Amino acid sequence: MSIPTTCRAAVMKNEGADFSLAIEDVGVPEPGTNQVLVRMSTSGVCYSDLHYMLNDTPAPPMSKFGVFSAGHEGCGVVVKLGPSVRNLEVGSRVGIKPIWTTCGSCDRCWGDMETHCAKKVNTGLGVAGTFQHYMVADAGHVIPIPEGVPDDLAATLMCSAATAYRSVKSAGLLPGSDVVVLGGGGGVGIQVIQVAKIFGFHTIAVDIGDSKRDLALEMGADDFVDVGEVADPVAEVARLTNGGAQGVFVTAPPAYKNALDYIGSRIGGVVMCIGLPAANSGNNIVANPGLLILKHLSIKGSLVGTREDTNTVLNYAQRGLIKPFSQSIRLDELPGKMQAMKEGKQMKKLVVDFNL
């Protein structure tokens, strides 16, 4: 298999509030021990990529690691094996997750908390990500993609769907529970809706606009509350749920401020924090301890999915339970689309198709 010495990549310029992307040729990396070289077929575009390049997260900046290509949810084909790789072959179809590698030897890695490993490396932050055509990956952390799962869907399963599944699973709710998804028309919100349907929940999406209403209902939401049309969305959710939601999944950070209100009169409700707010954004939950005690309420955070979580959503997708909903674009369209994301003008979930 012929491997070029350079490849196209979306390269970040001027890290921070005024960053931009340029499509440039970069060197094709060489895989090291227990690593593989992957030729990317697709890469999802996530708001975490935007925040990494804006450098407004609690994480160190990309530039600290010498990384200038973001992207952390991708699908591709192994084209070269590094020394000691035994679990993959050239030609293996694999997915790239947000967590590039972990130490593999701490109690978090041995348990169900590998994404919280203190020595983890984040894809597109600590190492070059999926916004370049060829990238190196840890052979132990790529995910085999099963037959029947198309490249565009496989890419989005690596982050948004696995993150959604992790949160829904962690909520610990029973089938039939009333749940609300704040930001339910966005990329992660739609995945929460699809997973919630699998879990047997009655799901209400809260967002704004007809296009998000149509998509949320198409993907499995039972009801949609449009904050642009309904004077009191909290009261409307209470009406639809006979008092309030048992689970509140927050994918849009501005919704944190009144997330607890959606619990209403329910006892034992849970708010799941999924969307990571920008540093100093003021998008916080202010909780009265007395209210938490008297209503037996929980507020829980949920990070991205583990390898096991990711494999689970791949199996769901193979069975047709998680469906694609993204818009495919060329790599050279990404700079303009990312600028639109910065300005809040990009509504659809995007997937870069390197074959276009």
Side-chain angles (χ1 to χ4, degrees):
M1 182 178 292
S2 177
I3 299 173
T5 56
T6 62
C7 67
R8 292 192 308 157
V11 178
M12 175 190 65
K13 305 290 185 179
N14 195 27
E15 181 179 50
D18 297 321
F19 87 86
S20 62
L21 287 179
I23 306 303
E24 298 180 354
D25 287 336
V26 300
V28 172
E30 187 72 18
T33 301
N34 295 318
Q35 296 176 356
V36 293
L37 180 65
V38 179
R39 184 182 66 228
M40 303 308 302
S41 302
T42 54
S43 171
V45 182
C46 177
Y47 271 91
S48 293
D49 300 316
L50 174 64
H51 289 298
Y52 284 160
M53 291 184 281
L54 286 170
N55 188 25
D56 64 2
T57 77
M62 294 169 61
S63 57
K64 177 181 178 179
F65 305 101
V67 173
F68 298 94
S69 289
H72 59 265
E73 50 177 12
C75 174
V77 176
V78 174
V79 294
K80 189 173 183 179
L81 306 178
S84 303
V85 175
R86 297 188 178 93
N87 62 317
L88 297 167
E89 300 175 349
V90 170
S92 295
R93 190 162 164 257
V94 297
I96 308 294
K97 307 183 291 77
I99 305 300
W100 191 83
T101 194
T102 63
C103 77
S105 59
C106 67
D107 58 350
R108 300 172 190 178
C109 289
W110 289 344
D112 187 39
M113 293 290 172
E114 67 182 21
T115 59
H116 297 274
C117 173
K119 296 181 179 179
K120 71 181 178 185
V121 177
N122 292 304
T123 310
L125 175 65
V127 293
T130 57
F131 288 172
Q132 62 182 52
H133 201 180
Y134 286 79
M135 67 169 289
V136 165
D138 184 315
H141 277 264
V142 296
I143 303 292
I145 306 297
E147 292 293 328
V149 180
D151 290 345
D152 58 340
L153 176 56
T156 63
L157 296 175
M158 295 299 106
C159 179
S160 62
T163 297
Y165 172 77
R166 181 74 178 181
S167 182
V168 172
K169 180 179 73 170
S170 299
L173 297 169
L174 296 175
S177 295
D178 292 316
V179 303
V180 61
V181 185
L182 305 183
V188 177
I190 290 296
Q191 301 288 30
V192 173
I193 288 169
Q194 296 201 80
V195 175
K197 183 177 182 179
I198 296 169
F199 275 59
F201 298 161
H202 169 241
T203 307
I204 302 167
V206 176
D207 215 312
I208 187 169
D210 290 340
S211 61
K212 292 191 174 184
R213 175 194 301 272
D214 294 344
L215 180 59
L217 294 175
E218 178 187 350
M219 290 296 163
D222 297 287
D223 295 288
F224 185 90
V225 176
D226 192 326
V227 298
E229 296 180 355
V230 177
D232 190 342
V234 171
E236 179 63 8
V237 167
R239 184 187 71 81
L240 292 168
T241 57
N242 193 29
Q246 290 153 303
V248 179
F249 296 88
V250 188
T251 66
Y256 281 122
K257 295 178 181 179
N258 70 334
L260 275 170
D261 296 340
Y262 285 92
I263 298 290
S265 61
R266 296 282 192 173
I267 302 300
V270 58
V271 174
M272 297 300 302
C273 304
I274 306 171
L276 188 65
N280 303 316
S281 66
N283 292 323
N284 302 316
I285 295 178
V286 178
N288 181 329
L291 183 68
L292 299 183
I293 293 166
L294 294 174
K295 288 194 172 183
H296 192 57
L297 301 181
S298 301
I299 302 172
K300 301 172 70 174
S302 180
L303 197 56
V304 295
T306 63
R307 283 171 286 184
E308 180 182 16
D309 295 330
T310 309
N311 190 58
T312 297
V313 295
L314 280 165
N315 290 334
Y316 285 155
Q318 189 180 34
R319 294 160 54 194
L321 299 176
I322 296 180
K323 298 177 174 60
F325 61 94
S326 58
Q327 173 189 353
S328 293
I329 61 171
R330 302 185 309 273
L331 179 64
D332 61 14
E333 295 180 89
L334 183 57
K337 295 294 186 181
M338 190 61 74
Q339 180 62 35
M341 288 176 68
K342 284 174 65 176
E343 298 171 0
K345 298 177 181 178
Q346 176 58 46
M347 297 295 105
K348 291 185 177 180
K349 174 69 176 179
L350 298 175
V351 171
V352 173
D353 187 333
F354 286 92
N355 297 313
L356 291 178

